[in-house]
Amino acid sequence: MQAAGAALLGALGCQGGNTTGNSPAGSTAPAASAAPAASAAPAASAAPAASAPAGDAGAASAAAVADISLTSESVLKVMNPKRREPYSGPTGTLRGRVTIKGDPPPDTGLSFPAGKCGEAAATYGRLFRVGQQNALADALVTVVNYSGYVPEREEAEKVTIHGCAFSSRTVAMTFGQRLEVANLDPLEPYMPNLEGAPFMAVLVAMPQGDAVKFHPPQPGYYELVDKMPKPFLKSQVFVLKFATHDVTGLDGQFEIKNIPVGKVLTAALLPAIDQDVKKEIEIKEGDNTANFELNFDLEKHNEKKGAKPSP
């Protein structure tokens, strides 16, 4: 995982333990489980179960997965350690748009199967996706540093596959949610896997069949991939310790509800270029607006990556 993404995830992961609502995002040391190393190597506890002896180890892994839900004790210890009642005061909704200026996204150089993978090139053919009027897709937008505990209301975060492409290249979840991956294609099967989470069986997303379900075992960074021969089919998954987040679509828009009123820290992160922008704003009861703009400099990006400039 890239540096800005890891730093932002670690800093923002502290919301679950914030009781004052006014500390800077980087001033609270994140829990170890919420600050993945830059290499994104899975923790020892997330090693694939397939490498462990069968029997007791497999049963233990299955039990651990079964214990991951919004109401399970293991999740509440992380999400609401002080056992506070859900926030019931005035709230606001934050809407806005994320845009990007500067150089256009370069070609990734990836190749895609002809015919059946009609959406893959549009999704993965360039370093990042840009819509009309510089709208930025796949940006993770977060709100933290408010006072109060805001529980997640949706039990599952849903992702679809169509034309050899995930519905988003960035997925944001709240710890305790399950990830559901559904195949919308009429004929093509997929074999999705959440890398970094326990692997206990080969799961196939059948054409227009039931969703494949994953339960991330702890907050942090994961990668959703396909075990079929489609190495381009990937999505970066952020499992967060707070429920106030969203990911932009091709229109660049986001919406985050149920935010306690008061000063908060907002941020927009584009994992593909390891860049984020932060704002401190005042949330008022009702509707609120905040827009973000990132700047992409291809030469600086190549220098940072140690890559040769594009011809």
Side-chain angles (χ1 to χ4, degrees), residues 16-180:
N18 178 16
T19 59
T20 63
N22 57 12
S23 60
S27 64
T28 303
S33 62
S39 63
S45 61
S51 64
D56 292 344
S61 296
V65 168
D67 192 42
I68 301 297
S69 72
L70 293 175
T71 57
S72 64
E73 181 64 22
S74 61
V75 171
L76 291 175
K77 284 181 179 179
V78 175
M79 298 296 295
N80 189 18
K82 295 184 181 295
R83 295 298 192 270
R84 291 174 290 168
E85 291 295 320
Y87 178 82
S88 60
T91 64
T93 295
L94 181 64
R95 298 183 180 89
R97 191 165 177 263
V98 183
T99 58
I100 192 164
K101 64 179 181 179
D103 296 320
D107 193 295
T108 58
L110 297 171
S111 58
F112 309 98
K116 62 184 179 181
C117 291
E119 295 183 29
T123 304
Y124 306 105
R126 294 191 174 274
L127 181 60
F128 53 89
R129 297 193 295 167
V130 180
Q132 295 183 349
Q133 297 180 326
N134 300 320
L136 183 61
D138 311 306
L140 168 62
V141 182
T142 55
V143 177
V144 295
N145 282 10
Y146 46 79
S147 180
Y149 166 58
V150 179
E152 175 62 58
R153 298 187 178 187
E154 300 294 331
E155 293 186 355
E157 179 65 27
K158 298 181 180 181
V159 175
T160 58
I161 316 174
H162 186 260
C164 303
F166 289 122
S167 49
S168 179
R169 288 175 53 172
T170 303
V171 176
M173 301 175 57
T174 303
F175 181 45
Q177 283 186 303
R178 64 180 179 271
L179 177 63
E180 296 186 356

Side-chain angles (χ1 to χ4, degrees), residues 215-270:
H215 297 79
Q218 61 186 18
Y221 170 78
Y222 300 81
E223 192 169 59
L224 183 62
V225 301
D226 181 50
K227 289 298 185 180
M228 297 288 201
K230 302 180 186 70
F232 54 84
L233 186 52
K234 296 181 179 180
S235 184
Q236 294 177 289
V237 179
F238 294 83
V239 180
L240 304 171
K241 295 170 67 176
F242 52 93
T244 45
H245 51 72
D246 196 13
V247 173
T248 60
L250 277 172
D251 58 3
Q253 296 184 3
F254 64 89
E255 180 182 81
I256 303 174
K257 299 180 180 180
N258 305 313
I259 308 169
V261 298
K263 288 186 178 180
V264 299
L265 180 67
T266 64
L269 165 72
L270 183 60

Side-chain angles (χ1 to χ4, degrees), residues 260-293:
V261 298
K263 288 186 178 180
V264 299
L265 180 67
T266 64
L269 165 72
L270 183 60
I273 61 173
D274 193 26
Q275 186 179 134
D276 69 280
V277 59
K278 303 181 184 70
K279 288 183 180 180
E280 190 175 72
I281 64 173
E282 180 90 15
I283 294 293
K284 298 180 180 179
E285 189 170 7
D287 292 335
N288 299 263
T289 301
N291 297 314
F292 299 89
E293 184 177 69

